Amino acid sequence: MPSISDILKGKATRDEARTAELRAERENLSLMRDGALEEITTKPDRYRQYLTLQADNIRCSVGNVALTMVQLPEATRIGTTDFWHDRGRYVLDEAMNNGAKVYVPPRDPKRRGYFMGNYYDVSQTSGKPLQEPEALTDKSPRMMAALTALMEQSPVALAEDKEISSPAFYNEADYTIYINPDQKPSAVFAALATEIAYARAHERGYNKGFKRELYKLDAESVGYMVCRRFGVECSTPDARFVAALYDGYPAVNRGEALEQVRGTARKIGDGLDQSLNPRQQERTNPRRYGRR
């Protein structure tokens, strides 16, 4: 019969082994995330795939979206079990062990750090149909309200100019976004979302390193994510030069840069939501998305 001392020593040994195992799992997950971020910012097709998945899951962190792409290549809508429960869906029993390993915050808000958790794709769940937002088209009665709300997200002045060839254009010389009112509303919406991203990046001249060509992919990515969130027709950004744009960036900086783009797109989109759906704001629990 083992003594109490033997039992305590055995438990300590098992605890140490489990701690070492968890540490190794976290390190492997971090390496997987870093590899995915490098691939996303090197290969144009992977960048476009990432951008669509991020746009459809705007509250999920860049790192967790990157991890999901590697582990669930066909994923479209993703979240934790809590996230799906909030939407009246549950993860299928056979899928419980086949989720994407990601980082999630602790259930106790007083605790710090992130733990390993799981994301599941909508295809791994069952339950109520997802409530998709109404698409904004030129014939949609909400389009003009959405355009009005989008204009409120501009950090600079707006002005009318029927002579410009594009539906909207940010002029960094006078800190003004010019809009051609003769263009169709959906085209103005898509262009305006992109030009607002340019204006925010310029920071009214405080960003001395601002050059429109350097921010082209970021601004178009913001515009694409905002448009996709509200069902407005918009082309995928030209990502041919993504590798050159991120050349020399360590993985952590690649993630931070993508997070800035996501953050801008989310802020603009959330501002629209607050104007269009003032009584339907989502009370989000960070754990449901595993932000990191």
Short mmCIF file of all heavy atoms in Angstrom, two decimals, residues 2-46:
data_model
loop_
_atom_site.label_atom_id
_atom_site.label_comp_id
_atom_site.label_asym_id
_atom_site.label_seq_id
_atom_site.Cartn_x
_atom_site.Cartn_y
_atom_site.Cartn_z
N PRO A 2 0.66 2.20 -0.93
CA PRO A 2 1.49 3.41 -0.97
C PRO A 2 1.22 4.30 0.24
O PRO A 2 0.11 4.36 0.76
CB PRO A 2 1.05 4.09 -2.27
CG PRO A 2 -0.36 3.61 -2.48
CD PRO A 2 -0.37 2.19 -1.97
N SER A 3 2.25 4.99 0.67
CA SER A 3 2.10 5.91 1.79
C SER A 3 1.55 7.24 1.30
O SER A 3 1.50 7.52 0.08
CB SER A 3 3.46 6.13 2.44
OG SER A 3 4.33 6.82 1.55
N ILE A 4 1.14 8.08 2.25
CA ILE A 4 0.66 9.42 1.89
C ILE A 4 1.76 10.18 1.15
O ILE A 4 1.51 10.90 0.18
CB ILE A 4 0.21 10.17 3.15
CG1 ILE A 4 -1.02 9.49 3.75
CG2 ILE A 4 -0.09 11.63 2.82
CD1 ILE A 4 -1.50 10.13 5.04
N SER A 5 3.01 9.99 1.62
CA SER A 5 4.14 10.66 0.99
C SER A 5 4.29 10.23 -0.47
O SER A 5 4.53 11.05 -1.37
CB SER A 5 5.42 10.35 1.75
OG SER A 5 6.54 10.96 1.14
N ASP A 6 4.10 8.92 -0.73
CA ASP A 6 4.19 8.41 -2.11
C ASP A 6 3.09 9.01 -2.99
O ASP A 6 3.32 9.35 -4.16
CB ASP A 6 4.08 6.89 -2.11
CG ASP A 6 5.29 6.22 -1.49
OD1 ASP A 6 6.37 6.86 -1.48
OD2 ASP A 6 5.15 5.09 -1.00
N ILE A 7 1.89 9.11 -2.41
CA ILE A 7 0.78 9.67 -3.16
C ILE A 7 1.05 11.12 -3.54
O ILE A 7 0.81 11.56 -4.68
CB ILE A 7 -0.53 9.57 -2.35
CG1 ILE A 7 -0.92 8.09 -2.16
CG2 ILE A 7 -1.66 10.32 -3.03
CD1 ILE A 7 -2.10 7.88 -1.24
N LEU A 8 1.56 11.89 -2.58
CA LEU A 8 1.86 13.30 -2.84
C LEU A 8 2.96 13.44 -3.90
O LEU A 8 2.87 14.30 -4.79
CB LEU A 8 2.29 13.99 -1.55
CG LEU A 8 1.21 14.19 -0.50
CD1 LEU A 8 1.80 14.72 0.80
CD2 LEU A 8 0.13 15.15 -1.02
N LYS A 9 3.98 12.59 -3.80
CA LYS A 9 5.05 12.64 -4.79
C LYS A 9 4.53 12.27 -6.18
O LYS A 9 4.92 12.87 -7.19
CB LYS A 9 6.18 11.70 -4.38
CG LYS A 9 6.96 12.18 -3.17
CD LYS A 9 8.04 11.16 -2.80
CE LYS A 9 8.82 11.62 -1.57
NZ LYS A 9 9.86 10.64 -1.17
N GLY A 10 3.64 11.29 -6.23
CA GLY A 10 3.07 10.87 -7.51
C GLY A 10 2.26 11.98 -8.15
O GLY A 10 2.33 12.22 -9.36
N LYS A 11 1.47 12.66 -7.30
CA LYS A 11 0.67 13.77 -7.83
C LYS A 11 1.56 14.89 -8.35
O LYS A 11 1.31 15.47 -9.40
CB LYS A 11 -0.27 14.32 -6.76
CG LYS A 11 -1.19 15.43 -7.26
CD LYS A 11 -2.09 15.94 -6.18
CE LYS A 11 -3.09 16.95 -6.74
NZ LYS A 11 -2.42 18.04 -7.51
N ALA A 12 2.61 15.21 -7.59
CA ALA A 12 3.52 16.26 -8.01
C ALA A 12 4.17 15.90 -9.35
O ALA A 12 4.33 16.76 -10.23
CB ALA A 12 4.58 16.48 -6.94
N THR A 13 4.53 14.64 -9.52
CA THR A 13 5.15 14.19 -10.77
C THR A 13 4.18 14.33 -11.94
O THR A 13 4.53 14.80 -13.02
CB THR A 13 5.62 12.73 -10.65
OG1 THR A 13 6.58 12.63 -9.61
CG2 THR A 13 6.23 12.25 -11.95
N ARG A 14 2.90 13.93 -11.70
CA ARG A 14 1.90 14.03 -12.76
C ARG A 14 1.61 15.49 -13.11
O ARG A 14 1.43 15.84 -14.28
CB ARG A 14 0.61 13.32 -12.32
CG ARG A 14 0.74 11.79 -12.24
CD ARG A 14 -0.63 11.14 -12.09
NE ARG A 14 -1.30 11.56 -10.87
CZ ARG A 14 -1.14 10.99 -9.68
NH1 ARG A 14 -0.28 9.97 -9.56
NH2 ARG A 14 -1.82 11.40 -8.62
N ASP A 15 1.57 16.34 -12.09
CA ASP A 15 1.31 17.76 -12.32
C ASP A 15 2.43 18.38 -13.15
O ASP A 15 2.18 19.18 -14.07
CB ASP A 15 1.18 18.52 -11.00
CG ASP A 15 -0.11 18.19 -10.26
OD1 ASP A 15 -1.01 17.59 -10.89
OD2 ASP A 15 -0.22 18.53 -9.06
N GLU A 16 3.67 18.03 -12.83
CA GLU A 16 4.80 18.55 -13.59
C GLU A 16 4.76 18.08 -15.04
O GLU A 16 5.04 18.85 -15.96
CB GLU A 16 6.11 18.11 -12.93
CG GLU A 16 6.39 18.78 -11.59
CD GLU A 16 7.66 18.26 -10.95
OE1 GLU A 16 8.33 17.40 -11.57
OE2 GLU A 16 7.99 18.69 -9.83
N ALA A 17 4.40 16.81 -15.22
CA ALA A 17 4.33 16.27 -16.57
C ALA A 17 3.23 16.96 -17.38
O ALA A 17 3.41 17.29 -18.56
CB ALA A 17 4.07 14.76 -16.52
N ARG A 18 2.08 17.21 -16.72
CA ARG A 18 0.97 17.88 -17.40
C ARG A 18 1.33 19.32 -17.75
O ARG A 18 1.01 19.82 -18.83
CB ARG A 18 -0.28 17.84 -16.52
CG ARG A 18 -1.51 18.52 -17.13
CD ARG A 18 -1.83 17.95 -18.48
NE ARG A 18 -3.00 18.58 -19.08
CZ ARG A 18 -3.28 18.54 -20.37
NH1 ARG A 18 -2.48 17.89 -21.22
NH2 ARG A 18 -4.36 19.14 -20.84
N THR A 19 2.02 19.99 -16.83
CA THR A 19 2.44 21.37 -17.09
C THR A 19 3.39 21.43 -18.28
O THR A 19 3.28 22.30 -19.14
CB THR A 19 3.13 21.96 -15.84
OG1 THR A 19 2.19 21.98 -14.75
CG2 THR A 19 3.62 23.37 -16.11
N ALA A 20 4.32 20.49 -18.32
CA ALA A 20 5.27 20.45 -19.43
C ALA A 20 4.55 20.15 -20.75
O ALA A 20 4.88 20.72 -21.80
CB ALA A 20 6.34 19.38 -19.16
N GLU A 21 3.55 19.27 -20.68
CA GLU A 21 2.78 18.93 -21.88
C GLU A 21 2.01 20.14 -22.40
O GLU A 21 2.00 20.42 -23.60
CB GLU A 21 1.82 17.79 -21.56
CG GLU A 21 0.99 17.33 -22.75
CD GLU A 21 0.00 16.23 -22.37
OE1 GLU A 21 0.05 15.76 -21.22
OE2 GLU A 21 -0.81 15.86 -23.24
N LEU A 22 1.37 20.87 -21.49
CA LEU A 22 0.61 22.06 -21.88
C LEU A 22 1.53 23.13 -22.45
O LEU A 22 1.18 23.81 -23.42
CB LEU A 22 -0.17 22.61 -20.68
CG LEU A 22 -1.36 21.78 -20.21
CD1 LEU A 22 -1.94 22.37 -18.93
CD2 LEU A 22 -2.43 21.72 -21.30
N ARG A 23 2.70 23.28 -21.84
CA ARG A 23 3.66 24.27 -22.34
C ARG A 23 4.08 23.93 -23.77
O ARG A 23 4.17 24.81 -24.63
CB ARG A 23 4.87 24.32 -21.42
CG ARG A 23 5.86 25.42 -21.80
CD ARG A 23 7.08 25.45 -20.88
NE ARG A 23 6.69 25.73 -19.50
CZ ARG A 23 6.80 24.86 -18.50
NH1 ARG A 23 7.26 23.62 -18.74
NH2 ARG A 23 6.44 25.18 -17.28
N ALA A 24 4.32 22.65 -24.00
CA ALA A 24 4.72 22.22 -25.35
C ALA A 24 3.58 22.45 -26.34
O ALA A 24 3.82 22.88 -27.48
CB ALA A 24 5.12 20.75 -25.32
N GLU A 25 2.35 22.18 -25.93
CA GLU A 25 1.19 22.38 -26.81
C GLU A 25 1.04 23.86 -27.15
O GLU A 25 0.74 24.22 -28.31
CB GLU A 25 -0.08 21.86 -26.14
CG GLU A 25 -0.16 20.34 -26.06
CD GLU A 25 -1.44 19.87 -25.38
OE1 GLU A 25 -2.28 20.73 -25.05
OE2 GLU A 25 -1.59 18.66 -25.20
N ARG A 26 1.22 24.74 -26.17
CA ARG A 26 1.13 26.18 -26.41
C ARG A 26 2.22 26.64 -27.38
O ARG A 26 1.97 27.45 -28.28
CB ARG A 26 1.22 26.95 -25.10
CG ARG A 26 -0.01 26.85 -24.22
CD ARG A 26 0.19 27.64 -22.93
NE ARG A 26 0.31 29.07 -23.20
CZ ARG A 26 -0.71 29.91 -23.21
NH1 ARG A 26 -1.93 29.47 -22.96
NH2 ARG A 26 -0.51 31.19 -23.45
N GLU A 27 3.43 26.13 -27.18
CA GLU A 27 4.53 26.51 -28.05
C GLU A 27 4.26 26.04 -29.48
O GLU A 27 4.52 26.78 -30.44
CB GLU A 27 5.84 25.91 -27.53
CG GLU A 27 6.32 26.55 -26.23
CD GLU A 27 7.55 25.87 -25.66
OE1 GLU A 27 7.96 24.83 -26.22
OE2 GLU A 27 8.11 26.39 -24.67
N ASN A 28 3.74 24.83 -29.63
CA ASN A 28 3.43 24.32 -30.97
C ASN A 28 2.31 25.14 -31.61
O ASN A 28 2.35 25.40 -32.82
CB ASN A 28 3.03 22.85 -30.89
CG ASN A 28 4.20 21.94 -30.57
OD1 ASN A 28 5.35 22.28 -30.84
ND2 ASN A 28 3.91 20.77 -30.00
N LEU A 29 1.33 25.54 -30.80
CA LEU A 29 0.22 26.33 -31.33
C LEU A 29 0.72 27.71 -31.78
O LEU A 29 0.30 28.21 -32.82
CB LEU A 29 -0.86 26.48 -30.27
CG LEU A 29 -2.24 26.98 -30.76
CD1 LEU A 29 -2.83 26.02 -31.78
CD2 LEU A 29 -3.20 27.13 -29.57
N SER A 30 1.63 28.28 -31.01
CA SER A 30 2.20 29.57 -31.38
C SER A 30 3.00 29.46 -32.67
O SER A 30 2.93 30.35 -33.53
CB SER A 30 3.10 30.10 -30.25
OG SER A 30 2.33 30.41 -29.10
N LEU A 31 3.74 28.38 -32.83
CA LEU A 31 4.50 28.17 -34.06
C LEU A 31 3.56 27.99 -35.24
O LEU A 31 3.83 28.50 -36.35
CB LEU A 31 5.40 26.95 -33.91
CG LEU A 31 6.61 27.10 -32.97
CD1 LEU A 31 7.31 25.75 -32.80
CD2 LEU A 31 7.58 28.15 -33.50
N MET A 32 2.45 27.28 -35.03
CA MET A 32 1.47 27.09 -36.09
C MET A 32 0.86 28.42 -36.50
O MET A 32 0.71 28.73 -37.69
CB MET A 32 0.36 26.13 -35.64
CG MET A 32 -0.68 25.83 -36.72
SD MET A 32 -2.13 24.93 -36.09
CE MET A 32 -1.35 23.42 -35.49
N ARG A 33 0.53 29.24 -35.51
CA ARG A 33 -0.04 30.57 -35.78
C ARG A 33 0.95 31.44 -36.56
O ARG A 33 0.58 32.08 -37.55
CB ARG A 33 -0.41 31.24 -34.48
CG ARG A 33 -0.98 32.66 -34.63
CD ARG A 33 -0.89 33.39 -33.33
NE ARG A 33 0.49 33.47 -32.87
CZ ARG A 33 0.84 33.63 -31.59
NH1 ARG A 33 -0.07 33.72 -30.65
NH2 ARG A 33 2.13 33.70 -31.26
N ASP A 34 2.21 31.45 -36.11
CA ASP A 34 3.21 32.27 -36.78
C ASP A 34 3.41 31.82 -38.23
O ASP A 34 3.58 32.65 -39.13
CB ASP A 34 4.53 32.21 -36.02
CG ASP A 34 4.46 32.90 -34.66
OD1 ASP A 34 3.44 33.59 -34.41
OD2 ASP A 34 5.39 32.74 -33.86
N GLY A 35 3.42 30.52 -38.44
CA GLY A 35 3.57 30.00 -39.80
C GLY A 35 2.40 30.39 -40.67
O GLY A 35 2.57 30.74 -41.85
N ALA A 36 1.18 30.35 -40.10
CA ALA A 36 0.00 30.72 -40.85
C ALA A 36 0.01 32.20 -41.20
O ALA A 36 -0.35 32.60 -42.31
CB ALA A 36 -1.26 30.38 -40.04
N LEU A 37 0.43 33.04 -40.26
CA LEU A 37 0.51 34.48 -40.51
C LEU A 37 1.51 34.79 -41.62
O LEU A 37 1.26 35.66 -42.47
CB LEU A 37 0.90 35.21 -39.23
CG LEU A 37 -0.16 35.27 -38.13
CD1 LEU A 37 0.42 35.86 -36.86
CD2 LEU A 37 -1.38 36.07 -38.59
N GLU A 38 2.63 34.08 -41.61
CA GLU A 38 3.63 34.31 -42.66
C GLU A 38 3.07 33.89 -44.02
O GLU A 38 3.30 34.58 -45.02
CB GLU A 38 4.90 33.54 -42.34
CG GLU A 38 6.02 33.79 -43.35
CD GLU A 38 7.36 33.25 -42.90
OE1 GLU A 38 7.47 32.78 -41.75
OE2 GLU A 38 8.30 33.30 -43.71
N GLU A 39 2.35 32.78 -44.06
CA GLU A 39 1.78 32.32 -45.32
C GLU A 39 0.73 33.30 -45.83
O GLU A 39 0.68 33.62 -47.03
CB GLU A 39 1.17 30.93 -45.14
CG GLU A 39 0.69 30.31 -46.44
CD GLU A 39 0.18 28.89 -46.25
OE1 GLU A 39 -0.55 28.65 -45.27
OE2 GLU A 39 0.51 28.04 -47.08
N ILE A 40 -0.11 33.80 -44.93
CA ILE A 40 -1.15 34.75 -45.30
C ILE A 40 -0.56 36.02 -45.89
O ILE A 40 -1.10 36.59 -46.86
CB ILE A 40 -2.02 35.10 -44.06
CG1 ILE A 40 -2.90 33.91 -43.69
CG2 ILE A 40 -2.87 36.35 -44.32
CD1 ILE A 40 -3.55 34.05 -42.32
N THR A 41 0.55 36.47 -45.33
CA THR A 41 1.16 37.72 -45.78
C THR A 41 2.25 37.51 -46.82
O THR A 41 3.05 38.41 -47.08
CB THR A 41 1.74 38.48 -44.57
OG1 THR A 41 2.57 37.61 -43.81
CG2 THR A 41 0.62 39.00 -43.68
N THR A 42 2.27 36.32 -47.42
CA THR A 42 3.24 36.01 -48.46
C THR A 42 2.56 35.58 -49.75
O THR A 42 3.00 35.93 -50.85
CB THR A 42 4.20 34.89 -48.01
OG1 THR A 42 4.85 35.29 -46.80
CG2 THR A 42 5.26 34.61 -49.07
N LYS A 43 1.46 34.83 -49.62
CA LYS A 43 0.78 34.28 -50.79
C LYS A 43 -0.55 35.02 -51.02
O LYS A 43 -1.42 35.02 -50.15
CB LYS A 43 0.51 32.79 -50.58
CG LYS A 43 1.78 31.97 -50.38
CD LYS A 43 1.46 30.51 -50.16
CE LYS A 43 2.73 29.68 -49.96
NZ LYS A 43 2.42 28.25 -49.73
N PRO A 44 -0.71 35.65 -52.19
CA PRO A 44 -1.93 36.43 -52.47
C PRO A 44 -3.23 35.64 -52.30
O PRO A 44 -4.20 36.16 -51.76
CB PRO A 44 -1.74 36.85 -53.93
CG PRO A 44 -0.25 36.89 -54.10
CD PRO A 44 0.27 35.75 -53.27
N ASP A 45 -3.24 34.38 -52.75
CA ASP A 45 -4.48 33.60 -52.63
C ASP A 45 -4.83 33.31 -51.17
O ASP A 45 -6.01 33.33 -50.79
CB ASP A 45 -4.37 32.28 -53.42
CG ASP A 45 -3.22 31.40 -52.95
OD1 ASP A 45 -2.22 31.96 -52.44
OD2 ASP A 45 -3.32 30.17 -53.11
N ARG A 46 -3.80 33.08 -50.36
CA ARG A 46 -4.06 32.84 -48.93
C ARG A 46 -4.49 34.12 -48.25
O ARG A 46 -5.32 34.09 -47.32
CB ARG A 46 -2.80 32.27 -48.27
CG ARG A 46 -2.44 30.89 -48.72
CD ARG A 46 -3.47 29.86 -48.30
NE ARG A 46 -3.26 29.43 -46.92
CZ ARG A 46 -4.12 28.66 -46.25
NH1 ARG A 46 -5.25 28.29 -46.82
NH2 ARG A 46 -3.86 28.29 -45.01
#
